[in-house]
Each structure stands twice: as C-alpha cells, then as structure tokens.
Amino acid sequence: MFTIEMAYARMREMQAAANRSHGKQPAATERPARGRHAAPRKKR
C-alpha cells in the first residue's frame, strides 16, 4: 500500500536530488530574475 507519507517522502527525496544536480549547472543557464508570468513594471 502506498500512503501519503510515503509519497511525501519520495517527493522530498526527488527534490533534494534535483537541488544537488542544479548546483552543477553552468551560470549561463540561470533563469532571469523575473519569471514568465511576472507582472510588468508600472510606468510612473
């Protein structure tokens, strides 16, 4: 039987592995500070 706790533990393991592998990425692949869905800045 697969419980919610088991699913949560697996999700945390996968997140930790992704965070470890993300540190090995070259700096050129960093995302911009503002995401795709960020609101445009208001003009004053």
Side-chain angles (χ1 to χ4, degrees):
M1 181 176 210
F2 197 69
T3 64
I4 296 294
E5 290 81 9
M6 291 168 66
Y8 184 72
R10 178 69 177 141
M11 181 188 71
R12 296 294 294 166
E13 289 172 5
M14 291 171 62
Q15 186 68 42
N19 288 341
R20 283 194 301 271
S21 67
H22 183 72
K24 298 177 185 175
Q25 299 280 336
T29 61
E30 288 183 8
R31 284 182 271 166
R34 297 175 65 203
R36 285 186 353 177
H37 300 290
R41 296 177 188 226
K42 291 183 179 179
K43 294 181 182 176
R44 294 184 182 203

